Amino acid sequence: MTRHRILFILSLTILIPITAVLFHNYSAFGPVFRARFSQMATTNKPPVIVVGAGLAGLSASYSAIQSGASVRLLERAPKPGGNSIKASSGINGAPTRFQNVEKYGVDQSFWDDTARSAGLRLNSASVSPTVKKQREELITVLTNRSASAIDLLTNLGVDLSVVAQLGGHSLPRTHRGAGKTPPGASIVTTLLTKLKEQGPDRFELVTDCEVTRLLTDKNASKETARVTGVEYKNRQDGSTHLLHGPVVFTTGGFAGDTHGLLAKYRPDLDGLPSTNDPRPGAHTILSNVGAKLVDMDAVQIHPTGFVDPASPETPLKFLAAEMLRGEGGILLHNGKRVINELQTREKVSNALMALPPQNEGSLRQWDVQLLLDPGATEAAAGHVGFYLWKGLLQKKKISELDETTRQTLKDYAAVVHGEKEDELGRKAFGHWRLTAEDVDKGEEEVCVGRVTPITHFTMGGAVFNTKAQILTAELGEEQEGKEIEGLWGAGEITGGLHGDNRLGGSSLLECVVFGKVAGEQAAKYIQV
């Protein structure tokens, strides 16, 4: 017997038992193992793992697939969408074809408005040059890619043809659709449809699963660990699973984590209602692999959450979209305006919270009225119809209003129609059309609802760079070599972009812009 035949027979005696064991395990482990085995056999590439199925996660998933990767999207809730699906004011973009260039000129002030809104964390003289530079680099990516984000979504079929001016913006740049579907729901459902069209080999959404930790191994060439996948728990049966691949973390903020991260970083906000579902933040999972956190005490209070007259003590509130004020709506306390309604969210919230609170149960709330005239009501018809149906807004004839409120409407109408300057400094009035004469007649209907400040958004999160890489460096430190290999982040889980205060309309935008960046980078990583 030749030497080659002996080696061949020996190899068979080794391979046949191994093959039998593999086949036995392949059958025993069921469809999950078979899917992974099939994938490894055909592509030999792991999927991009996206954690969190809000808009940032959906954007990252779509981007990764467009860049040639397959995606496994993990969501802890029973359904995808997160807080993004509830977003009602719109998404910022500039300059776009939907903006009124004839009236306002080409929009070149988005960067400046964003930087101004960031407040002292960016603009104070005490801010180090390196911190300032790193924050400004993130703002530049956000604003410079905003127009292409609008183009991407409209090319997918999202209607963003209506543009409004929100608080803190120098001109209208916040886009939404002309129909009744809120922009967040429209964008989320469109992306979900596109992702599901990719087929199970390219895209898989797994809901009711909570990621409990990131898998790592030590990268000998760097100080930081290399992320190699996730461990997650099925919330239905409690089973634990491992999934391997590069990770994009898009789990959102912690404004609803009342007794956890919110209590840790902002105990003074205890008792405020919120627009966010009560659930824990996932930031510790990132900290456990070395990620640094920044701006964790920067929590945005949105000035207008609806107080449902049927259940005023409910802590979870519907947002009274900022575009209601952008289209002309005003805020009243005891029948009088208290602030320019188009100031930043921070300034409007501070003004309302300086009023005497009206505590109800364990909640701290305020008695403020949001009022829309017929012009503003018509311009915001899609939103208003929903709020009326929910009982959050009520229609009233002007003749039914108290004398102080009627006088305020006459004064405001005179400002809108150029008869005098607004003492509070408002310059843009949306589609308000009531005149002082209309108020005297008293026959027109207005929409009125009670609103109160609420916790809405957390500016703080994991330090990241313009490539959406999560870092082990503090903001302001040298970032080169401090990237956590195999880990990216996008959306509200990240920090450093918004500073003290986020502009309305920039939440959806950052999800699209940095979600796209993260998906592309993660797909590129597995192709190297």
Side-chain angles (χ1 to χ4, degrees), residues 33-46:
F33 183 89
R34 289 197 294 274
R36 292 181 189 168
F37 188 90
S38 174
Q39 177 192 358
M40 290 166 55
T42 56
T43 67
N44 202 32
K45 292 179 181 178

Side-chain angles (χ1 to χ4, degrees), residues 327 371-381 384 396 398 409 431-435 438 443-447:
E327 294 294 3
L371 187 148
L372 290 82
D373 86 323
T377 298
E378 182 179 347
V384 170
K396 292 184 178 182
I398 294 176
L409 295 185
H431 287 82
W432 183 282
R433 65 171 176 79
L434 268 185
T435 65
D438 294 328
E443 293 301 312
E444 294 267 22
E445 283 188 328
V446 295
C447 285

Side-chain angles (χ1 to χ4, degrees), residues 429-504:
F429 311 100
H431 287 82
W432 183 282
R433 65 171 176 79
L434 268 185
T435 65
E437 183 179 355
D438 294 328
V439 177
D440 285 335
K441 290 180 179 178
E443 293 301 312
E444 294 267 22
E445 283 188 328
V446 295
C447 285
V448 184
R450 182 184 167 194
V451 294
T452 187
I454 47 177
T455 59
H456 178 56
F457 187 90
T458 50
M459 276 72 71
V463 180
F464 76 130
N465 61 18
T466 56
K467 292 184 179 180
Q469 294 168 298
I470 302 297
L471 306 173
T472 61
E474 302 280 1
L475 191 70
E477 292 181 350
E478 173 59 47
Q479 295 182 345
E480 186 68 31
K482 297 296 181 69
E483 308 90 350
I484 300 178
E485 185 178 342
L487 180 64
W488 295 262
E492 200 174 349
I493 188 67
T494 59
L497 170 62
H498 301 295
D500 286 325
N501 181 68
R502 173 181 64 77
L503 280 176

Side-chain angles (χ1 to χ4, degrees), residues 152-465:
L152 168 66
L153 295 173
T154 54
N155 289 338
L156 292 177
V158 180
D159 177 16
L160 296 172
S161 58
V162 178
V163 185
Q165 182 173 348
L166 303 189
H169 294 265
S170 56
L171 49 78
R173 64 169 68 93
T174 307
H175 297 63
R176 69 179 194 274
K180 294 183 178 181
T181 304
S186 179
I187 295 169
V188 165
T189 55
T190 298
L191 275 173
L192 271 172
T193 299
K194 294 297 180 181
L195 287 168
K196 290 175 181 178
E197 290 173 355
Q198 304 300 316
D201 291 338
R202 301 292 304 281
F203 174 74
E204 180 185 358
L205 169 64
V206 184
T207 57
D208 271 322
C209 65
E210 184 159 12
V211 170
T212 52
R213 68 183 177 98
L214 294 170
L215 307 178
T216 62
D217 67 6
K218 192 66 177 176
N219 185 345
S221 63
K222 290 186 178 181
E223 298 176 1
T224 59
R226 180 167 69 96
V227 171
T228 60
V230 300
E231 176 187 86
Y232 69 91
K233 181 173 69 174
N234 185 307
R235 293 166 62 90
Q236 295 293 324
D237 61 19
S239 59
T240 299
H241 307 268
L242 302 181
L243 186 60
H244 295 277
V247 177
V248 179
F249 222 73
T250 58
T251 54
F254 59 93
D257 192 7
T258 305
H259 302 298
L261 291 177
L262 194 62
K264 176 180 179 180
Y265 291 102
R266 288 297 301 273
D268 57 304
L269 299 180
D270 182 47
L272 282 187
S274 179
T275 58
N276 290 254
D277 292 318
R279 64 184 186 188
H283 300 62
T284 304
I285 295 175
L286 297 179
S287 298
N288 287 342
V289 296
K292 298 298 182 182
L293 305 179
V294 66
D295 298 339
M296 293 295 281
D297 61 332
V299 178
Q300 184 171 82
I301 309 300
H302 196 290
T304 56
F306 277 116
V307 178
D308 188 344
S311 53
E313 296 182 20
T314 301
L316 182 62
K317 306 293 189 188
F318 277 99
L319 187 73
E322 193 165 344
M323 53 80 62
L324 298 175
R325 288 175 281 132
E327 294 294 3
I330 56 176
L331 298 174
L332 307 174
H333 176 67
N334 292 335
K336 295 182 179 181
R337 292 175 64 219
V338 294
I339 191 172
N340 171 2
E341 294 84 1
L342 293 188
Q343 288 277 19
T344 63
R345 292 176 176 180
E346 180 182 29
K347 291 181 178 179
V348 177
S349 295
N350 288 343
L352 300 186
M353 293 173 73
L355 301 170
Q358 183 174 329
N359 295 338
E360 289 158 300
S362 61
L363 294 181
R364 283 192 293 151
Q365 301 188 139
W366 284 261
D367 190 13
V368 179
Q369 305 302 311
L370 170 67
L371 187 148
L372 290 82
D373 86 323
T377 298
E378 182 179 347
H383 292 69
V384 170
F386 173 76
Y387 298 141
L388 288 169
W389 175 70
K390 292 291 292 183
L392 302 172
L393 282 176
Q394 293 82 38
K395 287 186 175 182
K396 292 184 178 182
K397 281 193 173 184
I398 294 176
S399 60
E400 298 176 299
L401 304 175
D402 63 82
E403 179 59 33
T404 302
T405 300
R406 291 200 301 271
Q407 184 59 50
T408 297
L409 295 185
K410 291 174 70 173
D411 292 340
Y412 184 66
V415 169
V416 172
H417 295 287
E419 298 171 18
K420 63 178 183 179
E421 290 290 318
D422 184 20
E423 294 178 355
L424 298 174
R426 183 162 177 169
K427 303 292 185 184
F429 311 100
H431 287 82
W432 183 282
R433 65 171 176 79
L434 268 185
T435 65
E437 183 179 355
D438 294 328
V439 177
D440 285 335
K441 290 180 179 178
E443 293 301 312
E444 294 267 22
E445 283 188 328
V446 295
C447 285
V448 184
R450 182 184 167 194
V451 294
T452 187
I454 47 177
T455 59
H456 178 56
F457 187 90
T458 50
M459 276 72 71
V463 180
F464 76 130
N465 61 18

